[in-house]
Amino acid sequence: MQPTTHKLQWLVVIVCLFWPVDGLATQAHAGIEGVWVHQFAHVFFLFSMGLLIFWLRQAELVKLPGWRYIQYAALFFILWNLDAILVHLLDEQILAVTVNTIGPWHIRINAAAGRDWLATVYYLAKLDHLLCVPAMVCLMLGLRHMLQENRRSQSDGRLR
Amino acid sequence: MVTVSSFPIWFVDVVGSVLMIVFTFVSLGYCLELKKNEPTDIIIINYLLWVCVALAVFAISRSAGHLLKQIFLLSGHQALWTATQPFSGAINTFTFIVVASVTLFFERTWAIYGTILKDRQALQTAHEELIYLNQNLEGLVEERTEALAISEQKYRRIFEVSRDMILVTRTDGRILNINPAGKQLCGLSTASDSAIEGQLFQNYLSGPDDWKNINQHIENRGFISSEEFDLLLEDGSHRRVLLSGSLAKTPSEEGETIHFLVKDIEQRRLMQKQMAQADKLASIGELSSGIAHEINNPLGIILGYTQLLLRGEDPQSDRYNDLKTIEKHVRSCKAIVEDLLNFARTSHPHKEQIDIHAVITDVVHFVRHHSNLENIQIETALAPKLPSVLMDEKKIKQVLINLLMNAIHAVGRSGTIRIATGTNTAANRITVEVADTGHGIAKENLPRIFDPFFTTKPTGEGTGLGLSVSYGIIKGHGGHIIVKSEPDQGAAFTLSLPVSPAIAER
């Protein structure tokens, strides 16, 4: 390194250290940022489930019933994540839908620009447990198969 | 704007939340049991356990949150839900990230784990092999030693019993090892191994450049294959051999070595020469026979007319003498023609059972009376109980006379001529050898001595048909005539005649 360049670098460091400006080291986190983080987490979850399906198929593990169920679980989790992303997007991010309670068991869904179809989609998407519960069921069935297989092989081993 | 019942949402939310908690905990239970039962696939089980734990936390956080939400909303505690909601959401977010992260790392960890398992298997196999070797080392060494001994014995036997020379030399030609056949060929049968080792193989090659040529071949190609050379034997004679050799690829403790295989082809070469000689003589015989037949008839006519003219002439007249000269020369010509026909074997011999010893005695007696043998000894060594042979007595006598006259001529003023007979029971033949102590036959003349009209005598002393006629006669009897001679060491002609089967059986 040339001596002149070296001196310049030191100069920049000194100026940066002693120049009087506002402190910007800590960023504030408020409002919509939490929703964005939550949405990113959903995308990350979705992406990881996609990769899991890819790896299971590449390793040909899906030929085993236990892993096949886990593959289905991953697929349901992907659908559930898409569903959840859509719901969060509509009612928390772009505020395309608002919901008012108009009675003990009735709600009114207001879609922007009077799009009733969007209100219907939102209503159906709110039933997200119809996707995450099957995902958990598939995961449970997969693990049960693995356990049964494990028990069978252990009993075979003992018989031998 | 759509107004709908909130019951389905509420029902699915509440029931779904309860089911999520139940299923995640059942899954977690399965995972824990799997971990307990399956310690070998710990990576997979750990992954599934992490996923289940994260999902369980998610389920509790989310489902409990949803349930609380319903409770708080129905009981009118909106503020409580507002305070609780961020915790539930944050935990949910965190659990998603945990599940996703664990899944992402799972594949990589799994691949590494696979490699570790493979390495562990390889180590296990190596360990088992080592244990096996450790436990059976003594037996294995013994087995291997035995196999090596058998192999060594096998190859040593090939080396020892080979009829061809097997020779190992250094690249400079120093002999390291030579088999018994090689020692015999080089005349080293009686020499000790230490005396042979260190001798140069090139000393046994007759040509001065032979070793250089062999070395050049081996340097260029790494081997030499079936090249003919002459070996120089201890007695100074040469022997034609077929030599193959190659450079040993793995140098031994003696350095780089060359392995040779040397095959004696002297007999084969002699046989080939004899066959070539026989072919040549057969061709000449055919030619001679054709010419003789063509000349014989005109000569007969000339002789007839000459004799007719002689009858009417006065014996004292010059014309009578001229005619007599013509008659004499025509008779010479006819004799030559007859010899040629004998050589060509056109006339069939009149064979009968004859005692060869009686024939030899007659011939020796005849020669002694008709030649000047003052200082020439004729010795006979006749084998006892020689079987009689089917032959034409007159023609065999002619052969013996020819051979004896040649021998007398070769011996000159003084010397010895020896006639020996013998039997070769293996070949079912009798042999008659006529050997002299004369000047021998020059090497360059040996291949030509049976050629018609070939003679070393001065012009006018011989027609050069004696040996040709003898050759033809012996061949006509189904026999062979061979000659051995060295200049100034005499010559030996050996007749080999077949014994007739009936006689042989007797």
Side-chain angles (χ1 to χ4, degrees):
Chain A
M1 194 179 283
Q2 297 297 318
T4 317
T5 321
H6 201 69
K7 283 173 187 170
L8 272 174
Q9 279 182 347
W10 275 112
L11 191 67
V12 169
V13 169
I14 289 162
V15 168
C16 288
L17 280 174
F18 297 100
W19 197 268
V21 291
D22 294 337
L24 300 172
T26 310
Q27 189 186 338
H29 303 280
I32 194 69
E33 187 179 313
V35 179
W36 276 100
V37 170
H38 191 75
Q39 290 285 68
F40 285 153
H42 271 299
V43 172
F44 189 29
F45 191 8
L46 186 152
F47 173 71
S48 71
M49 289 297 110
L51 273 180
L52 180 65
I53 292 174
F54 173 73
W55 290 330
L56 292 179
R57 298 189 76 80
Q58 199 181 37
E60 298 186 348
L61 278 174
V62 289
K63 287 178 180 171
L64 305 170
W67 285 105
R68 196 158 53 236
Y69 275 113
I70 289 173
Q71 179 196 222
Y72 298 149
L75 185 66
F76 274 113
F77 274 126
I78 287 172
L79 296 173
W80 173 75
N81 275 301
L82 286 171
D83 181 89
I85 288 166
L86 178 68
V87 170
H88 292 317
L89 180 77
L90 290 175
D91 63 5
E92 287 173 282
Q93 276 186 285
I94 60 171
L95 304 172
V97 174
T98 52
V99 182
N100 299 314
T101 307
I102 56 167
W105 294 108
H106 281 88
I107 51 170
R108 179 175 294 140
I109 304 169
N110 299 308
R115 292 188 190 93
D116 287 348
W117 62 268
L118 195 61
T120 311
V121 168
Y122 177 79
Y123 181 78
L124 292 174
K126 280 292 273 183
L127 304 171
D128 65 322
H129 278 100
L130 294 177
L131 292 169
C132 66
V133 172
M136 271 320 296
V137 169
C138 287
L139 181 65
M140 187 190 70
L141 288 174
L143 288 167
R144 198 175 71 167
H145 263 282
M146 282 183 182
L147 190 61
Q148 282 170 347
E149 192 63 35
N150 177 262
R151 283 174 183 156
R152 198 177 300 125
S153 63
Q154 278 192 342
S155 66
D156 286 352
R158 273 199 294 275
L159 281 174
R160 274 198 296 271
Chain B
M1 188 192 304
V2 178
T3 304
V4 285
S5 167
S6 63
F7 180 75
I9 294 177
W10 179 85
F11 180 75
V12 168
D13 215 18
V14 172
V15 175
S17 297
V18 172
L19 287 176
M20 277 294 281
I21 292 171
V22 172
F23 291 144
T24 45
F25 275 90
V26 173
S27 299
L28 190 61
Y30 286 155
C31 263
L32 288 169
E33 197 174 346
L34 264 174
K35 189 177 180 181
K36 197 170 67 184
N37 293 350
E38 189 67 82
T40 52
D41 279 338
I42 197 74
I43 294 288
I44 294 170
I45 306 298
N46 272 344
Y47 161 70
L48 293 170
L49 193 62
W50 270 96
V51 169
C52 287
V53 167
L55 287 174
V57 174
F58 165 69
I60 290 169
S61 144
R62 187 168 188 271
S63 304
H66 280 221
L67 289 171
L68 281 174
K69 180 185 171 185
Q70 299 304 330
I71 293 165
F72 288 149
L73 291 180
L74 286 173
S75 61
H77 293 89
Q78 177 76 35
L80 275 175
W81 170 238
T82 310
T84 316
Q85 190 183 13
F87 289 105
S88 171
I91 291 169
N92 289 355
T93 308
F94 178 70
T95 53
F96 296 168
I97 292 168
V98 169
V99 172
S101 304
V102 168
T103 306
L104 282 177
F105 283 107
F106 164 64
E107 190 276 337
R108 211 54 261 149
T109 316
W110 195 18
I112 294 165
Y113 181 63
T115 314
I116 292 168
L117 278 184
K118 206 185 285 178
D119 289 350
R120 192 173 73 175
Q121 185 62 42
L123 271 173
Q124 181 70 25
T125 311
H127 179 67
E128 281 168 9
E129 276 177 15
L130 273 174
I131 288 173
Y132 174 78
L133 285 173
N134 196 22
Q135 286 170 347
N136 301 284
L137 191 62
E138 206 173 314
L140 286 169
V141 169
E142 203 173 309
E143 204 174 294
R144 186 76 187 131
T145 311
E146 199 177 333
L148 276 171
I150 290 168
S151 172
E152 203 275 340
Q153 201 178 4
K154 189 168 76 181
Y155 289 107
R156 170 59 56 181
R157 192 168 160 70
I158 292 171
F159 183 79
E160 294 290 342
V161 304
S162 169
R163 306 291 294 170
D164 298 327
M165 180 201 286
I166 298 174
L167 176 73
V168 183
T169 71
R170 286 204 184 110
T171 45
D172 62 358
R174 286 191 186 282
I175 295 173
L176 292 173
N177 213 345
I178 184 167
N179 71 335
K183 286 180 190 170
Q184 200 178 0
L185 190 64
C186 295
L188 294 167
S189 301
T190 52
S192 66
D193 285 347
S194 56
I196 295 166
E197 277 177 26
Q199 287 201 38
L200 293 169
F201 179 51
Q202 47 266 47
N203 292 345
Y204 293 93
L205 294 167
S206 66
D209 293 331
D210 284 355
W211 179 251
K212 206 170 128 190
N213 292 338
I214 292 168
N215 248 336
Q216 207 161 13
H217 263 93
I218 289 177
E219 268 177 29
N220 292 344
R221 296 188 293 174
F223 66 91
I224 181 167
S225 178
S226 301
E227 294 287 337
E228 286 192 18
F229 292 96
D230 278 326
L231 280 190
L232 186 64
L233 305 187
E234 209 175 26
D235 59 1
S237 61
H238 292 178
R239 186 162 290 221
R240 178 59 67 146
V241 292
L242 204 63
L243 183 140
S244 298
S246 59
L247 196 67
K249 282 178 183 164
T250 48
S252 63
E253 64 270 16
E254 289 105 353
E256 278 198 322
T257 52
I258 307 172
H259 295 184
F260 287 108
L261 185 68
V262 183
K263 191 174 181 62
D264 181 358
I265 54 163
E266 185 65 24
Q267 287 302 318
R268 196 169 78 186
R269 192 175 65 127
L270 284 176
M271 201 165 283
Q272 281 171 345
K273 276 172 79 176
Q274 282 172 6
M275 281 170 74
Q277 172 79 348
D279 280 351
K280 184 183 78 178
L281 291 173
S283 303
I284 295 171
E286 269 185 45
L287 182 70
S288 308
S289 162
I291 295 168
H293 272 298
E294 290 302 320
I295 292 172
N296 207 21
N297 289 343
L299 282 176
I301 293 164
I302 294 167
L303 186 63
Y305 277 100
T306 308
Q307 285 171 344
L308 202 64
L309 288 169
L310 275 170
R311 280 188 201 168
E313 289 296 330
D314 178 6
Q316 303 300 320
S317 67
D318 289 342
R319 193 178 168 82
Y320 181 84
N321 287 332
D322 292 344
L323 286 169
K324 267 294 184 189
T325 306
I326 292 169
E327 188 195 14
K328 183 187 153 195
H329 284 283
V330 170
R331 282 188 190 280
S332 303
C333 286
K334 275 190 77 71
I336 289 169
V337 166
E338 203 174 322
D339 282 346
L340 277 175
L341 287 171
N342 270 331
F343 166 67
R345 286 168 274 154
T346 50
S347 57
H348 293 286
H350 303 289
K351 292 181 186 174
E352 49 193 329
Q353 297 289 349
I354 285 168
D355 177 10
I356 189 76
H357 287 168
V359 175
I360 291 168
T361 310
D362 277 0
V363 169
V364 171
H365 187 70
F366 171 80
V367 170
R368 276 190 177 135
H369 276 85
H370 290 84
S371 301
N372 181 15
L373 301 174
E374 275 183 15
N375 294 315
I376 298 173
Q377 297 288 320
I378 298 182
E379 296 173 357
T380 52
L382 306 179
K385 293 182 184 174
L386 205 64
S388 50
V389 181
L390 259 183
M391 59 188 173
D392 187 327
E393 185 183 359
K394 202 175 152 189
K395 287 183 184 293
I396 291 296
K397 273 185 178 172
Q398 190 184 345
V399 171
L400 289 171
I401 288 167
N402 282 341
L403 293 180
L404 276 174
M405 295 311 288
N406 279 349
I408 290 165
H409 185 262
V411 165
R413 289 169 185 261
S414 63
T416 307
I417 297 167
R418 188 168 181 274
I419 304 171
T421 59
T423 49
N424 182 349
T425 45
N428 205 19
R429 285 170 182 271
I430 63 156
T431 56
V432 180
E433 188 188 64
V434 179
D436 64 63
T437 55
H439 53 65
I441 305 164
K443 201 173 178 182
E444 66 272 16
N445 290 336
L446 268 174
R448 301 178 61 200
I449 56 168
F450 295 111
D451 292 0
F453 305 111
F454 176 77
T455 180
T456 53
K457 292 174 188 168
T459 314
E461 282 193 28
T463 57
L465 281 168
L467 282 176
S468 314
V469 169
S470 303
Y471 178 88
I473 290 169
I474 295 301
K475 284 284 172 187
H477 280 76
H480 307 298
I481 178 167
I482 53 171
V483 59
K484 282 181 192 167
S485 176
E486 290 289 331
D488 298 325
Q489 288 181 9
F493 287 85
T494 307
L495 310 178
S496 168
L497 292 163
V499 176
S500 59
I503 301 296
E505 281 166 19
R506 245 183 293 170

